[in-house]
């Protein structure tokens, strides 16, 4: 009954969203040859915020804003782990960039960036050169294997939509193969899922995968014994979710364990082999599915840029998000290393920081063109949100802490609000509604095994 | 306003569906070594109907029903063309077979069939042999290029979920490339979409593609002139939609033309080249996108079976859907050639015929085991349904004819009813709701270029 009420409530929200729909379509926007050319690289959270802010504030200026990405969609990464576990459909977390260009009046080009040339003031792409007067580099991050080649080769990752679909297919496939497999050791290896790294992505994936197994797959594969399925979360440090405070962390830990996720702390990985994970102490966890969520580093293209770089490849920017020696180049989001005044650690590579950086970069380009003084980055820490699977999450919003069912409602409300696109909001709501009834997407969609999403469709 | 009301109405239907949800989960079903083994090949409309009918009527019998398919999902092919044009999401037309096994109590195995051996009473698969006492062959159809190798090589087709996603990506990609292309001839070729064959699939795809271009893409690609986009429907015969009566056919023709689809009748294709279609009279239509919907033939695996075969590869069955010389083998759906008493033409390869055949085969296996007399095929022609895009369709249901907006409502109601899976019904309804607002899925999902869906995920 509680389930039914939840369902009706979620559905009612779809209705409310429909009623609220604003059709904000603008006409196409075209530039003259004399326009100031601003090129934004990357249609993630930061790049999209930069392009929009530029387009919306260009009044009086002859500004041509061009957003470039190798994919034709913005990916809503915070719930990508739900694509991997069948909780939401791939199409519901991808939002075509051109929807935004229509509404906001900037241009888009789907191209793969090969090289940024600071000297030529040019970005070289698969489709030819793109010259700029101002450049915003928002190319995001890639996985950090910390030099562990074996991990790069043998792990699944969770950064692109391909990654999500590929992992989902692989998980279903493991169950499919396990059910017909006679050798108990092979079955066990097929049904052991190891996630390396207990940051938010690792924890959210572990909880969701455990729920998928317990509430959905074990019913569909009656030949598999519940005791054969293991979800193991492996963490090098002595605790999970570093950014959370003790109380929320303890709540999260309790929830993970009550679900049956095995959390191994102080367990640094030495090697990811074909059939499992080797721990530094020499022990071995046999597994056909190792997911690496242990770290990120800046997009390697950032290496072309001059200036001081961090160990994770991020390039140091000034208070206005500019490269110190090239004020026409702004670097934001996961590509930028920025220290708030008085802070010892740079801002973390996450969506709110990227959005704040994108807005600051855009506003400062406008200021420059109007000969106005620049503004330093405006960023205020807003909190943390970590989903713990079915009906459970921990959240810290502006210092107010939530756990359990209320945390879960808060988590969903915030992400639904932040999700790009009205159709996506409604569709994710429907996906979540069915999740309440333990219905998930378990069809194996045919997907390229490539880990680079756009390569498969590019010419 | 009409749009908003339509939206609310469709949304209300989601609510009604939620309220009606029946959770019919059964437990797992396992067979003993002495069970009679019935193997059903193919989880399309016919195979699914056969497996369900067997499982639901096995009371008193020790029957092991195993359904085998190379994909782990049932594909709802009637709206696959909407996947190709962004009208519905791929996940919403794929229904995991194991959902059905749970509810209905049969077993499923995901395996690719290599060969059927009548002598060994065995089906050889990539995962080893599967022995049977009774076999139901429901392997469906593949594309018929009528020996035209160039067409097979250079055409898109529309039979698998890969086909649908691949075509969708390609259409979006053509617009993306056209907008940055300077050469007017190349632009024109990129923006000309040729569909060969004016049967239901060809007509539905042409109408939906024309709507996608006019109502969605031309708004998103302001650099493309509406006059540059062509959708051409090429048909060798002197009319479209052979199976319809004259009045509905004329209505359909008028609708297609008013939308701007160019219909070329009496236009047999000689060759499909890399950059376009060569007509028998020597003329050439330059196009980067040729879709072949001109015909089907039985799955080539049926060639292993003994007996009389038609030119389209279908094997002749008796009134009970058995192979005449092998009564333990039933062949149904697109693999079977069956003449209703007194008819000169075999039943067509479509879903209602496949479902009737599947039920008849299943019932006759039960009858055989109970030493009861067999029943001949029960099939009654129910009519035709052809969608003509936005707010338009022609339908003939039990002799009652519908056109235009009413036809469109009937079309949607019927297919929504027939769609497998409650989550799919609700999600397709949401997709359709947004279609009313001209919102379609235009993200290019990364998909394997292979035309065989399961190969990409199989081991």
């Amino acid at each position: 009954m509680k389930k039914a009420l939840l369902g009706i409530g979620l559905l009612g929200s779809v209705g409310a969203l429909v009623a609220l729909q604003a059709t904000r379509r603008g006409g196409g926007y075209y530039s003259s040859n004399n326009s100031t050319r601003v090129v934004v690289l990357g249609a993630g959270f930061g790049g999209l915020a930069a392009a929009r802010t530029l387009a919306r504030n260009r009044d009086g200026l002859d500004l041509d804003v061009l957003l470039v990405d190798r994919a034709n969609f913005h990916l809503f990464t915070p719930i990508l782990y739900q694509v991997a576990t069948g909780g939401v459909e791939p199409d519901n977390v991808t939002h075509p960039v051109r929807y935004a260009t229509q509404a906001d009046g900037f241009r888009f080009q789907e191209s793969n960036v090969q090289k940024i040339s600071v000297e030529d003031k040019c970005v070289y792409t698969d489709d030819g050169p793109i010259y700029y007067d101002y450049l915003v580099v928002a190319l995001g991050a890639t996985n950090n294997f910390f030099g562990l080649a074996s991990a790069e080769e043998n792990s699944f990752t969770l950064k692109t939509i391909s990654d999500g679909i590929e992992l989902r297919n692989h998980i279903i496939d493991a169950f499919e193969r396990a059910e017909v497999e006679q050798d108990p050791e092979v079955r066990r290896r097929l049904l052991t899922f190891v996630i390396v790294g207990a940051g938010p992505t690792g924890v959210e994936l572990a909880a969701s995968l455990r729920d998928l197994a317990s509430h959905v797959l074990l019913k569909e594969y009656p030949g598999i014994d519940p005791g054969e399925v293991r979800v193991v979360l492996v963490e090098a440090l002595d605790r999970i979710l570093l950014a959370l405070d003790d109380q929320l962390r303890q709540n999260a830990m309790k929830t993970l364990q009550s679900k049956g996720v095995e959390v191994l702390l102080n367990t640094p990985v030495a090697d990811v082999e074909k059939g499992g994970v080797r721990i530094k102490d020499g022990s071995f966890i046999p597994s056909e599915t190792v997911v690496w969520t242990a770290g990120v580093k800046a997009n390697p293209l950032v290496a072309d840029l001059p200036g001081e770089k961090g160990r994770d490849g991020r390039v140091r920017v000034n208070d206005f998000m500019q490269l110190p020696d090239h004020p026409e180049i702004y670097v934001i989001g996961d590509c930028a290393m920025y220290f708030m005044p008085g802070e010892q650690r740079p801002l973390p590579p996450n969506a709110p920081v990227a959005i704040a950086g994108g807005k600051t970069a855009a506003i400062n380009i406008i200021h420059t063109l109007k000969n106005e003084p620049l503004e330093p980055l405006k960023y205020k820490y807003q909190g943390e949100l970590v989903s713990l699977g079915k009906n459970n999450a921990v959240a810290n919003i502006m210092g107010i802490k939530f756990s359990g069912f209320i945390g879960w409602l808060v988590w969903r409300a915030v992400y639904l609000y932040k999700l790009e696109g009205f159709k996506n909001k409604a569709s994710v709501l429907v996906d979540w509604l069915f999740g309440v009834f333990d219905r998930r997407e378990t069809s194996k969609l045919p997907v390229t095994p490539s880990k680079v999403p756009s390569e498969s469709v590019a010419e």
Side-chain angles (χ1 to χ4, degrees), chain A:
Chain A
M1 209 53 240
K2 182 178 157 199
K3 277 188 181 183
L5 284 175
L6 249 173
I8 302 296
L10 282 171
L11 202 71
S13 319
V14 178
L17 279 169
V18 171
L20 282 166
Q21 182 185 39
T23 49
R24 290 179 316 158
R25 293 199 184 167
Y29 166 68
Y30 272 84
S31 59
S32 72
N33 283 334
N34 303 321
S35 305
T36 301
R37 297 201 55 148
V38 186
V39 175
V40 181
L41 302 182
F45 289 104
L48 210 52
R52 280 182 171 151
T53 307
L54 281 160
R56 288 176 185 168
N57 293 284
R58 67 157 172 259
D59 33 41
L61 297 171
D62 184 5
L63 209 59
D64 172 29
V65 181
L66 176 64
L67 180 60
V68 177
D69 198 291
R70 64 181 183 189
N72 82 330
F73 52 82
H74 166 82
L75 177 63
F76 192 73
T77 46
I79 57 175
L80 185 56
Y81 78 91
Q82 293 194 8
V83 172
T85 54
V88 300
E89 298 171 22
D91 263 319
N92 300 344
V93 297
T94 56
H95 184 66
V97 181
R98 283 181 185 270
Y99 284 3
T101 65
Q102 252 179 268
D104 297 311
F106 55 86
R107 295 193 301 126
F108 175 71
Q109 184 174 323
E110 186 201 76
S111 289
N112 184 51
V113 175
Q114 295 170 345
K115 193 183 154 56
I116 301 167
S117 170
V118 174
E119 294 73 37
D120 304 348
K121 292 184 95 172
C122 178
V123 176
Y124 294 95
T125 76
D126 292 354
D127 302 305
I130 300 173
Y131 291 90
Y132 62 79
D133 297 310
Y134 294 89
L135 182 68
V136 181
V137 178
L139 287 162
T142 181
N143 297 291
N144 196 345
F145 297 98
F146 305 102
L148 210 59
S150 68
E152 185 157 10
E153 204 171 313
N154 299 314
S155 298
F156 288 84
T157 52
L158 206 51
K159 293 294 288 176
T160 69
I161 192 73
S162 282
D163 288 350
I165 307 176
E166 207 182 329
L167 182 53
R168 169 178 133 183
N169 284 343
H170 180 83
I171 293 165
I172 308 303
D173 204 44
F175 274 79
E176 199 68 54
R177 285 156 65 198
E179 210 189 39
V180 292
E181 177 62 54
Q182 299 302 317
D183 184 333
E185 256 186 57
V186 178
R187 281 175 75 106
R188 187 79 177 165
R189 197 170 69 219
L190 282 164
L191 295 171
T192 300
F193 303 90
V194 178
I195 295 150
V196 182
T201 306
V203 167
E204 293 187 320
L205 178 63
S208 186
L209 177 49
R210 188 63 250 185
D211 283 348
L212 172 68
S214 303
H215 301 301
V216 183
L217 296 179
L218 281 172
K219 286 176 192 152
E220 288 178 29
Y221 296 78
I224 291 171
D225 187 90
E228 291 181 289
V229 180
R230 290 178 72 193
V231 176
V232 188
L233 184 61
V234 173
E235 169 59 50
L237 302 179
D238 64 352
R239 54 197 151 159
I240 64 171
L241 298 168
L242 267 191
L244 289 191
D245 71 15
D246 276 339
Q247 185 201 325
L248 288 179
R249 188 183 301 129
Q250 280 167 21
N251 290 351
M253 192 71 176
K254 259 185 241 158
T255 305
L256 285 176
Q257 286 169 337
S258 72
K259 275 181 193 293
V261 174
E262 301 171 41
V263 185
L264 305 181
L265 300 176
N266 300 305
T267 308
V269 167
D271 215 8
V272 182
E273 300 174 12
K274 264 267 172 289
V277 176
R278 177 77 57 195
I279 307 302
K280 279 238 170 82
D281 67 9
S283 63
F284 187 72
I285 310 172
S287 167
E288 287 279 309
T289 315
V290 179
V291 189
W292 189 268
T293 69
V296 297
K297 60 182 179 190
N299 190 311
L301 287 162
V302 172
D304 297 347
L305 299 173
E308 182 191 346
K309 312 240 164 60
R311 280 175 56 202
D312 55 4
R314 291 194 284 170
V315 60
R316 179 128 192 199
V317 293
N318 65 19
D319 285 354
F320 314 117
M321 306 310 282
Q322 297 166 311
L323 284 191
D325 298 329
H326 284 274
E328 79 280 13
I329 300 180
Y330 291 78
V331 183
I332 62 167
D334 299 359
C335 294
M337 177 169 60
Y338 174 68
F339 293 83
M340 290 289 274
E343 291 290 332
Q344 298 297 309
R345 294 165 57 98
L347 286 178
N350 64 29
V353 171
I355 291 168
K359 288 179 180 169
T360 298
I363 288 297
N364 283 332
I365 290 170
I366 303 275
H367 281 320
T368 305
L369 292 168
K370 292 185 170 173
N371 290 314
E372 294 166 354
L374 302 189
E375 296 175 27
L377 178 72
K378 282 198 195 91
Y379 168 73
K380 200 164 164 289
Y381 174 78
Q382 285 169 4
E384 306 287 340
L385 281 170
V386 182
S387 162
L388 299 165
K390 223 173 140 74
N391 305 352
N392 214 312
V394 288
N396 176 352
I397 311 262
M398 322 243 188
I400 308 168
K401 293 170 198 164
F402 304 92
S403 282
F405 186 69
I406 300 295
W408 179 81
L409 286 178
V410 169
W411 187 97
R412 296 209 155 187
V414 168
Y415 280 133
L416 205 62
Y417 173 76
K418 294 200 169 181
L419 188 67
E420 281 289 328
F422 176 61
K423 179 171 192 324
N424 283 353
K425 286 181 205 286
S427 299
V428 163
L429 207 53
V430 169
D431 286 344
W432 282 350
L433 161 67
F434 280 89
V436 173
F437 298 102
D438 293 331
R439 275 288 180 241
R440 299 211 195 173
E441 298 294 338
T442 55
S443 300
K444 287 194 277 178
L445 282 184
V447 69
T448 168
S450 157
K451 292 197 176 175
V452 182
S454 56
E455 276 184 2
S456 59
V457 290
E459 291 304 306

